[in-house]
Each structure stands twice: as structure tokens, then as C-alpha cells.
Amino acid sequence: MFNSLGQFLTVNFLYFSLAFAWAIALLSIRNLTRINWTWKKESILLLISQVGILGLSYLVRDFNPFLLFPFLVSLFLLLITPQLLPNHCWVGRYFFVSNCLFLLFGLMWGVWFILNIPISPVTRWLMFLTVPLLIFTLPSRIVQFLEQFEVLCRKNWVRPRYPLHPAQRTHYPKVSLHVPTYAEPSELVIQTLNTLSKIDYPNFEILVIDNNTKDEKLWRPVQLYCRTLGDRFQFFHVDPVEGAKAGALNFALTQTAPDAEVIGVIDADYHANPDFLKALIGYFDDPNIGFVQTPHDYRDWKKNAYLRMCYFEYKIFFHTTMVSLNERDAALTVGTMCLIKKEALEKVGGWAQWCVTEDSELAIRIHAGGYSSVYLKESFGKGLIPETFGGYKQQRYRWTAGPVQEFKHHFNLLMFWPGHKSSLLTFSQKLHHLNHGSIRFNVGLGLLLTPLGFAVITSMVLHKEVIQVPFELWLAVTVSLISGVYLNWLLYKVTLGCSLKDTIGAFIARQALTHITSIASFRTIFRSHTPWQKTDKFKVTSKFLRALSTTKTELSLGITIILFVVVVFLLLPLPGLVLIFLIGMSYRGFDYLSAPFLAVLAELNIKKIAKLN
């Protein structure tokens, strides 16, 4: 019976590896060509594809009767997915179904494989330690996959996601724009205020809240300049105030005009478009709208190789995941260029001073209060990307730690406990807000996989365990590695129109953040408090020692991993299964070494700009 189970899992693992690879091919054709894909053509093509995959699987595994199971399961799930994914194309549904089954049977087959290979008890138990982590993170990985790649699979979008056409109105709700600052260059804040003074809207005020800035030379010029801009501008220097940015915004709420109906948040470095308010205010005619969010966007990056890499790394989230979240009324507020109904903000208790991402945390409570939201793809303002890799890391630390805090704090609120009705959150809102935190939570747990990988490989080398790798595993590993790289390219190509060079640059920038996101998550899991750290906006001079000092941990880990891989490969000339682990370790080594590469590139570009000036 145990052998039959092994055959059953093996043929399913093989079938869904091939199915997922073919689904990617079909998705590429659908997105990169102008073929008219009717539902009849798609359904017939998928049926033929299933038969083809079945035939190919038979060639690999002979005529194994178990192969009928994955064939029939795929057809059954494709028949019921229109109920779950009604606005997706058939190819898109097949893409998601095959991915889920590939992950599920890959995990089950992996457990069976570990149980059966001839290895020492130490190696076997070390391998099994990874299984709980993989099981725990599987649901989050599936939801994240949907959020990330849904833009490639949709045929219809239902909820609003574009600006409204500005029109003459009889009533212009008063908007109070809040500009929080802390130890910012005065000239930077003044430039932001200049752009805000040009906003084309008849009924708004601007509150500048400088919190805890000790150097009077930084905040005093801003205060004086506000006086020259007219009665619409008010300046407040508050020291001390607790809760960092959230504390400053809560203070601003107490100073807001009583007749204001909408609150806007603008970061101190953001230059807002003049039509920002007119294009968005119409959404608040619906009393159920709690907030309207526009994407982060940035300026002064096009001629800077380092900033260009960061720019596209930032941008993809706002053109994929945020679009998907909006479709389920689960969008996030992201700290700037957003408008919030004042009534909703006050009803849910203002900004959370305990959370370092007070913006995305607020979205949970506004949705839990029964309000809806809108996310728009079009940007209405541009800020600055951190000039140094150290600043980039510091920003991402906060963006990772905050959602982990949200996950811990709102766990009961977001879980699907029977009879739990303490909020008005819908099923989709719970699922996606929970996933926003759990993705980052899982990053910290994933940090344990690297030392476990070291331990497994070391044990196999010491025990001289050379295990032959079955075809199914090589196929799955190949599909996983190639699909991970290829799907990212496809996503950037289709959604952003990126060149291959820019896609590679964004990929390197993302991988360079691997260590800092893992550390941020891991620390926050076990800490009750995370200090708020601002992103420095001051101009800097090039210092290569700074590049090395901010990435010395990543550099050390990257070199150690690569040396470890080389030594193990030399010790086991025919490594077998160890080679799979070495490939994974090499990939992690690349992640770590991307950080010093990006740090040095940032310093080179700072030096280049200094010479030009």
C-alpha cells in the first residue's frame, strides 16, 4: 500500500509539474499576442492540453492508471472555478489551479520522498524540520500568487480603479491636507508646500506638523514660509509628541477645521499634481467610501542606474497586488497621496501610534468599520527614492516590520473564527488583510531555512549520502526556477512595459532586500515594540566605506555561502540530491551579494552626480 501511495503521489507530482509549465506558456501567448481568445477557443485548447499532458505523462511513467486522477481532478476544478473566479479567463483559471496543485502535491511528494530515501536519521530529521514551515506558509503563498499575477489573468475588472473626470460641482467638500515632517531639509519641505499651493480646488487647508525636530534651523524657515503662503497654510511645531508620524497626524486631526470632511496625507517630499483633489473628491459622494488611495511614484530616477532599479522594484506592487486588492475592496492606505473620510478616521480611533506602518494598519480598521475604499492606478504626486542603499534598507525594514505588527495585533479580528462577528469585514477583506501581514510574518520564519539547509548539506556530506535524483524532482526544480524568473519578466513586460534590462535591475534590487526583510520580520515576531525610523532625505556625499558598512552582514553571508557551496561540490564529485540543495544555497548567496552590489552602485551614482554639479 505504501508503494502504491508513492506511485500515486509521483504521477500527480509529474502531471502537475508539466501542467503548470504549460499553463505559463498559454498565459504568455494570451498576454503577448493579439489572438482573439473567445471562451470556446480557450476551453477547447485547455481540453486538448490536458489530453496532451496526460499522453506525455504516460510516456514518462508508462501506462500508470493513477494518471487518470490528476487528469480528472484538473477538469473538475476547471469546471467549478468559474464560480470562484468568474471574471478570469479560462487560461488564467488553469494557471491558478495548476499552480495550487503543483505546490500541494509537491509538498506531499516531498514528505514521502524524505521518508523513503536511504539517509541517516540525523539527515532525515533535519529535512523534516523544514516541513512545518512549508505547510504553514503554503496558504499565504497561494493567496500571494493570486494577488501578484491576477493582472495577467483577468478579463473583466468590476470595481472602480480610474480617476473621475473633474466636473462642476455645487458642493466642494472641505479637504484638510496634513503634511507631517520630522528633521527634514527645510528647502525640501518648502518645495512641497509650493506645489500644494497650486492645487486647483476651491475649498482646502494645509496643516504642516513638524514633530520632535530639535534643530530649529530646520523647522523655523518652514514656519516663516507658511506665513507667506496665506491663511490656508498653518504650521505647528510639536515637541515632544509620541507615536512619530502617527502621533503627528493625530495631533493634526485635533487642529483640523471643524467643517473639513476629508483628510489628505502628503509626505514632506511629495510634489502633488494640481488636479489631485478634483480628480478624487467625487468618490466621496458615496457615503460608504472610507478612503481613496493613489500609488507611490517618484521623480529624478531616469538617469540614475541605482534609482532606476529601485523605481521599478517599488512600482510593480502598485500595478499588480494593489490592483488585485482593490478588486476585493481590500486596498491599503500607503502613507501619502491618499484621501480619507474624516468621519471614518475619527470613528475608528485615528492613527495607530503603536504601529510603524500606521497607514496600512488604518485600512484594516476602516474596512472593519464597514467602509469601502478605492485604489487608483494613476499617480498624482511624486516623491524621492532614498539616495543610499542604507536608506533603502531602513525604509524596507519599517515596511516589513509594520505588517508583522498588524498581523499580531489584529490576528483575532482577521481570523475566521466560527461565530466571530466583531467587525464588518467581508471574507475577502479578512483574507487579504491577513495575508498582507502573514506574508511578512513568514519571511521571518523563512530565515530558519538557510541554517537548516546548511545543516542538511553538512550531514549528507559527513555521512557521504549520495542520493540519486528522480526525474520528477529534476523536472519540478527546473520548472520552479525557470518559472520564477520568467513570470517576473512577463509581469514587468505586460504591466509596466519594462525592458529586459530594467526587469533584471528591479529583480536585483528586490533580492538585495532579502536579508533586511528577513531580519525585520524575525525581530518583530518576538518583539512587543519596534522603534519608528525615518527615511533620510538629506543630500549625501559618496562614501564607499558607508556602502560596505551598511552591507557587511550580507557580504559576509554571501561569501560564506558561495565558499560553502564550492567546498561541498568538491567533496562530493557526484553529489546527487545534494546538488539540488546547493542550487538553492547558491540562489540565496546571490540574494546576499546583491546588497553590496546595489550599495556600491548607489555610491557610484552619488559620486557621478556630484561631479556633474
Side-chain angles (χ1 to χ4, degrees), residues 86-107:
N87 295 298
H88 293 67
C89 63
W90 279 101
V91 168
R93 293 168 190 156
Y94 182 56
F95 176 66
F96 289 126
V97 166
S98 60
N99 174 256
C100 291
L101 293 172
F102 174 50
L103 291 174
L104 180 61
F105 278 97
L107 181 58

Side-chain angles (χ1 to χ4, degrees), residues 305-316 392 396 488-489 492 496 498-513 590 594 597-598:
Y306 159 72
L307 295 180
R308 192 178 187 93
M309 294 167 75
C310 297
Y311 176 78
F312 286 110
E313 189 275 327
Y314 283 127
K315 198 172 180 67
I316 195 67
Y392 189 45
R396 196 55 55 96
N488 272 283
W489 170 82
Y492 275 88
L496 302 180
C498 276
S499 66
L500 179 60
K501 180 180 178 181
D502 283 334
T503 302
I504 293 172
F507 177 76
I508 293 173
R510 185 185 68 192
Q511 301 311 110
L513 296 166
F590 165 78
S594 296
F597 169 78
L598 207 64

Side-chain angles (χ1 to χ4, degrees), residues 453-471:
F454 271 110
V456 168
I457 294 171
T458 302
S459 178
M460 294 187 76
V461 170
L462 292 176
H463 292 96
K464 297 182 180 180
E465 294 164 338
V466 178
I467 308 300
Q468 184 177 359
V469 180
F471 172 78

Side-chain angles (χ1 to χ4, degrees), residues 112-319:
W112 173 84
F113 182 67
I114 293 171
L115 284 171
N116 282 272
I117 53 178
I119 51 177
S120 65
V122 173
T123 304
R124 199 181 312 278
W125 280 110
L126 286 171
M127 287 184 178
F128 267 123
L129 286 176
T130 65
V131 174
L133 288 174
L134 296 175
I135 293 174
F136 181 79
T137 60
L138 182 62
S140 181
R141 289 164 62 194
I142 290 173
V143 177
Q144 183 185 19
F145 191 83
L146 172 65
E147 293 174 351
Q148 189 173 12
F149 293 104
E150 185 172 24
V151 291
L152 301 178
C153 305
R154 275 261 180 176
K155 60 179 180 180
N156 298 314
W157 297 92
V158 179
R159 300 196 71 252
R161 59 196 187 113
Y162 294 105
L164 299 172
H165 293 292
Q168 289 296 116
R169 302 172 57 89
T170 56
H171 171 61
Y172 287 90
K174 185 163 188 174
V175 179
S176 183
L177 294 177
H178 298 172
V179 184
T181 75
Y182 166 58
E184 303 285 7
S186 56
E187 62 275 10
L188 177 79
V189 182
I190 288 171
Q191 288 175 7
T192 294
L193 298 181
N194 273 333
T195 62
L196 292 178
S197 69
K198 298 173 184 176
I199 284 182
D200 181 19
Y201 189 78
N203 194 16
F204 71 100
E205 67 172 4
I206 294 174
L207 309 185
V208 183
I209 312 93
D210 181 89
N211 73 92
N212 300 316
T213 300
K214 305 303 179 185
D215 188 351
E216 187 174 342
K217 293 179 182 179
L218 292 178
W219 63 264
R220 186 68 73 180
V222 179
Q223 181 188 47
L224 296 174
Y225 192 76
C226 280
R227 293 174 183 171
T228 69
L229 292 173
D231 295 339
R232 274 183 172 162
F233 287 76
Q234 298 181 59
F235 179 89
F236 303 91
H237 172 67
V238 190
D239 187 9
V241 63
E242 296 182 355
K245 182 179 178 180
L249 291 173
N250 280 331
F251 172 83
L253 199 56
T254 66
Q255 304 300 314
T256 298
D259 59 337
E261 298 178 46
V262 176
I263 304 294
V265 180
I266 311 291
D267 275 354
D269 62 318
Y270 261 77
H271 293 179
N273 295 355
D275 63 339
F276 172 50
L277 297 182
K278 278 190 174 179
L280 306 186
I281 200 66
Y283 278 112
F284 291 97
D285 292 340
D286 179 353
N288 195 43
I289 293 296
F291 68 85
V292 179
Q293 179 66 61
T294 64
H296 282 185
D297 205 353
Y298 302 92
R299 61 185 187 272
D300 303 335
W301 55 269
K302 291 185 179 180
K303 296 181 180 180
N304 184 310
Y306 159 72
L307 295 180
R308 192 178 187 93
M309 294 167 75
C310 297
Y311 176 78
F312 286 110
E313 189 275 327
Y314 283 127
K315 198 172 180 67
I316 195 67
F317 171 79
F318 292 97
H319 286 258

Side-chain angles (χ1 to χ4, degrees), residues 507-553:
F507 177 76
I508 293 173
R510 185 185 68 192
Q511 301 311 110
L513 296 166
T514 298
H515 179 67
I516 196 63
T517 55
S518 299
I519 294 298
S521 173
F522 194 78
R523 285 177 179 171
T524 311
I525 288 173
F526 299 104
R527 284 182 178 178
S528 58
H529 174 70
T530 298
W532 200 95
Q533 296 178 314
K534 72 180 287 287
T535 304
D536 196 351
K537 302 296 193 315
F538 285 91
K539 291 292 181 182
V540 295
T541 56
S542 176
K543 295 179 181 179
F544 283 95
L545 287 179
R546 176 176 55 209
L548 296 177
S549 65
T550 58
T551 60
K552 57 186 178 183
T553 302

